[in-house]
Amino acid sequence: MIPKIILGKGARATRRLIGYLYGPGSANEHTDPHLVASWNGFAPDPGRSPHRNPKQVEDQLAVQLDQPVKMLGDKAPTTTVWHCPVRAAPEAPILTDAQWADIARRIVAAAGIAPEGDEEACRWVAVRHADDHIHIAATLVRQDGRRPCRDHDIRAVQREARKIEADLGLRRLNPGDGTAAKRPTSKEHFKAKRQGQDTTSREILRMRVRRAVAAASTETEFFALLEATGVTARPKVGPSGDVLGYSVALPGDLNQHGEPVWFSGSTLAGDLSLPKIRHRLTDTGPEPVAARPTDPWHHATAATERIPDHLTHSDGHVAQGQLVALGGALDLLPLTAPATARSELERAAALFERATRSRITADADSTRALRRSIQTILRTPTATGDGTGLAMLLDAALIAVAFAMHWHRKHQHTQQEAAAQQTLVHLQTAYAHVAVPVLNDLARRTPGIQTKHRYARHLQQTAPEHAERILQDPAWDALATVLADAETAGHNPTSLLNQALDQRTLDDARNPARALTWRIHRLGQRHTPGPRAQAAMARSTTRRPTTTTHPPAATPAAVQQPPHTRRR
């Protein structure tokens, strides 16, 4: 159950609201509007007055609601209207008028508008014009002329909504911490529907701004990227000439006056205000130029693989910074993905956005490697490759998101935990679209039977506890191929297996051969060790230690168990 408080001001604010509630709605969505409850139990109801002109009854109702306000004359407050739509979840059963009336009384009592038993409280009405929600309209002057005590009414109403859900057996929403981005209004949804869009302008702009932030290195580049993606940006300039903020609009998105509909960055999301963006760009400045160019996919994968360790061992500020960086990577990955996986990755990024924000301040100093490597992938046309890099990165991202879910659970961030869990489902689907063609291509050039038998013996010696599962995995042929490629490049296959198995346990891996394939592919493309180093590694891998660690698998069935630390 979702309550949302909206305040109104102006001499005719009450009349305008009553007219809207009893009108057809912006998309003719209002059906049978009528009162279900009021401050005195017998307020005039324009929806149930068949022998009178409905407009006259609306006028009468507005006058009665406004009477305490008018009595104050010039001393009346500027803000006079308290409007609270209360909506049930889509799957909730249809509630009766009596149930909605009880809900309305509990909401106005919790908000301080009309405490139970207070006969001098504010005047209010609850109007129902759809099966799934009501609108509560109140005026913000008590009948004794005083102002209502409604301190922290938003939080109080949310707490009462959770109690109502429990009492009525409705689906209980996760309590928030005030860091969620603002939801699109019903008007925005109806407008998008009229225009044939599945997504509102607010949501489209939020994603494009997030992508621009993730891809930019400077503030100038941020605004240039916005313009390049079709977003009109308008800076807010102070008296000193300094840019203090910005607003964005989509071309063609106009209001009733034919003017662009502008959204400031802070109204899209709290972390998209210009000061927050500047802070993020400063904290994630450029990395030193490497002496030898390396594959950006490998860099991004290595940085993503470090996220679980940060979430397990680092303080909350560093962990929060890692989540912000992971969210930025997910925002940009759809731009590098094949069409078959793009929609799933976009959905995963949109969901994980909620998991990137909490009350903990993010320390982004340790996130530069991931941010810069993703930017390099975007800016280097040849970096997209054959899909191997993306599959490898998604494999690491699945584990990172699973750890993010458990980190949020540990900190009792229920909305963020749910968002991370939902993200996993879409990432799994995207991973399958990307990984399967790559694995099939690798399997087609699998080495001969004798070489595969030799690798199988290496595997049984190196990881006897996992050998049977790996050899029976459909991706075994692909794993044999990358081992053969690495051996051709001068690597010792036993050493590589040992290193790959030490990166993370396979106990909870859904497809152990797939996981090893990506690790060995990355290890095999590193600088080939010399003869002495190969001999030393061969001696050190004759017997592997048996102690393993158990992080969560990135599967819907396994992510419910708390993660353990990883040995790297």
Side-chain angles (χ1 to χ4, degrees), residues 26 60 193 203 215 220 245 278 300 391 417 429 431 462 466 483 554:
S26 55
Q60 183 183 0
K193 187 176 180 180
E203 293 167 307
T220 301
R278 284 172 172 164
E417 177 193 344
T429 305
Y431 173 78
T462 307
H466 299 299
L483 279 169

Side-chain angles (χ1 to χ4, degrees), residues 171-193:
R171 179 169 71 89
R172 302 186 69 176
L173 300 183
N174 294 316
D177 57 2
T179 61
K182 185 177 180 181
R183 296 173 179 270
T185 64
S186 57
K187 291 183 180 180
E188 291 174 35
H189 280 297
F190 288 128
K191 182 178 181 180
K193 187 176 180 180

Side-chain angles (χ1 to χ4, degrees), residues 500-522:
L501 289 164
D502 274 347
Q503 286 183 349
R504 175 167 56 86
T505 182
L506 296 175
D507 288 349
D508 295 327
R510 190 177 185 182
N511 300 99
R514 285 188 184 185
L516 279 180
T517 297
W518 310 130
R519 298 181 204 175
I520 289 173
H521 172 79
R522 193 166 118 253

Side-chain angles (χ1 to χ4, degrees), residues 268-491:
L268 294 177
D271 57 348
L272 296 182
S273 67
L274 188 57
K276 294 287 182 66
I277 290 174
R278 284 172 172 164
H279 183 69
R280 184 169 166 186
L281 293 175
T282 301
D283 278 358
T284 53
E287 285 281 282
V289 178
R292 180 174 55 210
T294 55
D295 190 330
W297 288 106
H298 290 190
H299 264 298
T301 302
T304 305
E305 286 182 336
R306 290 193 289 271
I307 291 176
D309 282 340
H310 284 296
L311 295 176
T312 304
H313 301 297
S314 300
D315 64 29
H317 302 293
V318 172
Q320 181 63 44
Q322 296 294 315
L323 297 178
V324 172
L326 179 58
L330 293 179
D331 286 338
L332 296 178
L333 281 184
L335 303 178
T336 72
T340 53
R342 195 169 299 139
S343 62
E344 291 292 337
L345 285 175
E346 287 175 346
R347 185 62 183 148
L351 286 166
F352 195 73
E353 177 206 19
R354 182 66 190 98
T356 63
R357 287 192 300 274
S358 73
R359 289 290 182 184
I360 300 173
T361 305
D363 179 358
D365 189 56
S366 62
T367 66
R368 297 180 183 180
L370 177 56
R371 179 180 173 86
R372 293 307 176 196
S373 56
I374 294 294
Q375 291 175 347
T376 302
I377 290 168
L378 286 177
R379 295 167 183 172
T380 309
T382 58
T384 54
D386 59 359
T388 305
L390 179 58
M392 182 171 57
L393 179 54
L394 288 178
D395 179 64
L398 281 165
I399 301 301
V401 172
F403 270 83
M405 188 190 74
H406 289 288
W407 186 83
H408 282 306
R409 178 181 298 169
K410 176 182 175 182
H411 290 80
Q412 299 182 340
H413 301 158
T414 54
Q415 289 186 357
Q416 292 91 330
E417 177 193 344
Q421 187 170 18
Q422 293 166 4
T423 301
L424 282 173
V425 176
H426 294 278
L427 272 186
Q428 283 281 7
T429 305
Y431 173 78
H433 285 309
V434 173
V436 169
V438 176
L439 292 168
N440 288 341
D441 287 343
L442 289 171
R444 277 193 284 270
R445 28 183 215 93
T446 191
I449 191 67
Q450 291 185 347
T451 301
K452 290 178 66 176
H453 283 165
R454 178 161 56 87
Y455 293 155
R457 289 195 298 272
H458 286 327
L459 190 61
Q460 289 162 345
Q461 294 170 359
T462 307
E465 67 274 29
H466 299 299
E468 185 176 355
R469 291 180 65 213
I470 293 171
L471 294 174
Q472 292 178 356
D473 194 304
W476 162 238
D477 285 346
L479 173 56
T481 299
V482 295
L483 279 169
D485 289 345
E487 187 174 22
T488 300
H491 288 276

Side-chain angles (χ1 to χ4, degrees), residues 210-291:
R210 282 178 60 85
R211 283 180 175 170
V213 174
S217 300
T218 64
E219 184 178 330
T220 301
E221 188 177 10
F222 163 70
F223 283 111
L225 288 171
L226 282 181
E227 296 287 348
T229 57
V231 174
T232 304
R234 180 178 66 180
K236 177 184 177 182
V237 181
S240 64
D242 295 333
V243 177
L244 305 178
Y246 71 100
S247 297
V248 288
L250 288 177
D253 184 24
L254 307 176
N255 61 20
Q256 59 186 351
H257 304 296
E259 301 167 340
V261 178
W262 295 98
F263 295 86
S264 67
S266 59
T267 60
L268 294 177
D271 57 348
L272 296 182
S273 67
L274 188 57
K276 294 287 182 66
I277 290 174
R278 284 172 172 164
H279 183 69
R280 184 169 166 186
L281 293 175
T282 301
D283 278 358
T284 53
E287 285 281 282
V289 178

Side-chain angles (χ1 to χ4, degrees), residues 11-23 39 43-47 49 52-67 70 123 125 139:
R12 292 182 52 81
T14 304
R15 183 62 184 87
R16 286 196 301 269
L17 177 57
I18 294 300
Y20 166 73
L21 297 180
Y22 281 94
W39 78 96
D45 183 359
S49 303
R52 299 180 59 189
N53 185 327
K55 295 298 182 183
Q56 292 179 348
V57 184
E58 290 176 20
D59 290 339
Q60 183 183 0
L61 178 57
V63 167
Q64 291 191 19
L65 285 168
D66 269 339
Q67 187 175 4
K70 300 299 183 184
R123 296 186 175 189
V125 294
T139 45

